[in-house]
């Protein structure tokens, strides 16, 4: 029997706020986490994802980020916390999973297909099977071939979905095609498909995705939560209108490498102390931030005017 992970609704993969001199800003992170769960209505949080610049964080910083996000989730009724575990070293991933499992605060781990190594689908199955058997945590497979260089077939995803500890997939292939429709049309008990491509989350939800892990939701959390709720209530007209608007916002937020523009907007809104990102990322241009900030504020202005 699969563990119950409650993977439905919006999960916000939080940015990691830095100071101008690139130190971790824990108070800003705690505020972002609290706002996402209280004001924004997110179902849960994701720590140490790509949006968090996890590859540039020290082990101590990673522990601090997990600790802060865990505290926020506990304060909001035990909201689920998903933690990113990204490595192409199966043994190292197992060790990290086991350490996270010991805390008792992590609902699941978000694990990408092994990047760079490109072990093939058989190797990927062996990788996730080992993590499921020895890691001690429920797993959400992160299918994002344009980052990992490793595409997965629908048949492989179905096999993964039937592993006892695999509770979902963050589906971020960049397209909605026959393979996506086949996956969304399949019914695997205890296995949730979560959209991971922000710009196309609305049609993914319309086709049956259970929710989303959406970087853009750092900015307009409540609207992304509402979009998911609208599709779950079969309110197609309002959902299409809001989805189209949020797709424009997502395109602007991803105009430069993630999360540079998102951080620029959050800083412009006074929500984080600096727009700084760590190398090899560069801070977003003023034009990109200005454009995204305008779109981030547009719906609020419309509601005020109404």
């Amino acid at each position: 029997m699969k563990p119950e992970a409650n993977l439905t609704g919006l999960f916000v993969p939080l940015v990691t706020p830095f100071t101008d001199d690139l130190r971790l800003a824990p108070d800003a992170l705690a505020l972002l986490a609290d706002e996402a769960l209280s004001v924004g209505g997110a179902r849960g949080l994701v720590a140490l994802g790509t949006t968090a610049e996890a590859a540039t964080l020290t082990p101590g910083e990673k522990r601090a980020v997990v600790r802060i996000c865990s505290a926020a989730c506990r304060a909001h009724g035990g909201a689920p916390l998903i933690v990113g575990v990204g490595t192409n070293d199966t043994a190292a991933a197992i060790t990290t999973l086991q350490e996270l499992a010991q805390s008792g605060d992590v609902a699941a781990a978000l694990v990408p297909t092994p990047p760079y190594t490109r072990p093939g689908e058989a190797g990927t199955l062996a990788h996730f099977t080992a993590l499921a058997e020895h890691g001690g945590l429920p797993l959400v497979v992160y299918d994002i071939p344009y980052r990992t260089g490793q595409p997965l077939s629908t048949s492989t995803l179905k096999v993964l979905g039937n592993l006892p500890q695999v509770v979902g997939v963050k589906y971020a292939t960049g397209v909605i095609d026959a393979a996506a429709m086949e996956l969304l049309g399949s019914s695997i008990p205890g296995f949730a498909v979560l959209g991971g491509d922000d710009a196309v989350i609305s049609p993914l939800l319309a086709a049956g995705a259970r929710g989303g892990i959406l970087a853009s939701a750092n900015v307009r959390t409540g609207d992304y939560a509402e979009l998911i709720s609208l599709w779950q209530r079969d309110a197609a007209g309002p959902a299409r209108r809001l989805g189209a608007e949020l797709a424009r916002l997502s395109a602007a937020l991803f105009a430069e490498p993630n999360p540079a523009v998102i951080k620029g907007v959050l800083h412009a809104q006074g929500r984080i102390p600096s727009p700084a990102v760590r190398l090899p990322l560069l801070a977003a241009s003023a034009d990109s931030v200005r454009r995204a900030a305008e779109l981030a504020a547009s719906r609020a202005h419309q509601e005020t005017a109404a």
Side-chain angles (χ1 to χ4, degrees):
M1 180 180 293
K2 284 182 183 284
E4 179 56 55
N6 296 317
L7 295 183
T8 185
L10 175 65
F11 291 80
V12 181
L14 293 173
V15 302
T16 303
F18 299 134
T19 60
D20 283 328
D21 58 355
L22 294 177
R23 290 178 292 112
L24 179 67
D27 291 344
L29 177 59
L31 185 59
L32 289 178
D34 178 71
E35 288 176 343
L37 294 169
S38 57
V39 181
R43 174 75 179 92
L45 303 177
V46 178
L48 304 184
T50 306
T51 305
E53 300 172 75
T56 71
L57 300 180
T58 67
E61 288 171 334
K62 289 181 180 180
R63 288 191 293 270
V65 167
V66 172
R67 184 169 60 250
I68 291 165
C69 293
S70 296
C73 288
R74 286 195 303 271
H76 290 278
L81 173 63
I82 300 172
V83 176
V85 177
T87 176
N88 54 0
D89 180 346
T90 304
I94 289 171
T95 298
T96 301
L97 290 170
Q98 290 172 343
E99 291 171 351
L100 289 170
Q102 290 175 0
S103 73
D105 291 328
V106 179
L110 178 64
V111 184
T113 303
Y116 189 75
T117 304
R118 300 182 66 191
E121 295 195 76
T124 297
L125 280 171
H127 172 76
F128 278 105
T129 299
L131 300 189
E133 291 178 350
H134 305 294
L137 273 180
L139 306 176
V140 177
V141 176
Y142 191 1
D143 184 20
I144 185 163
Y146 67 86
R147 286 191 184 275
T148 65
Q150 173 71 65
L152 294 179
S153 66
T154 303
S155 61
T156 296
L157 285 172
K158 288 180 179 179
V159 173
L160 289 171
N162 280 296
L163 292 176
Q165 283 289 97
V166 175
V167 294
V169 58
K170 179 181 177 182
Y171 193 70
T173 64
V175 295
I176 301 176
D177 56 9
M181 298 307 295
E182 181 182 351
L183 179 66
L184 289 164
S186 63
S187 179
I188 303 173
F191 180 73
V193 178
L194 301 174
D197 279 307
D198 297 25
V200 295
I201 185 59
S202 190
L204 277 172
L205 292 165
R210 290 266 298 275
I213 298 175
L214 306 170
S216 301
N218 277 275
V219 174
R220 277 171 57 176
T221 313
D223 287 334
Y224 283 94
E226 180 183 354
L227 176 66
I228 293 170
S229 178
L230 287 170
W231 280 117
Q232 290 174 341
R233 303 197 312 266
D234 292 325
R240 282 195 296 267
R241 290 190 291 273
L242 180 57
E245 180 187 343
L246 293 179
R248 291 190 291 272
L249 171 63
S250 293
L253 290 172
F254 280 80
E256 298 185 33
N258 183 49
V261 181
I262 291 173
K263 280 190 157 183
V265 172
L266 291 174
H267 179 250
Q269 294 174 338
R271 298 172 62 194
I272 59 175
S274 167
V277 292
R278 287 178 176 172
L279 287 170
L281 294 176
L282 298 174
S285 67
D287 286 345
S288 291
V289 173
R290 186 181 306 111
R291 170 63 176 158
E294 289 171 354
L295 291 170
S298 63
R299 193 164 191 249
H301 290 163
Q302 292 169 7
E303 289 170 352
T304 301

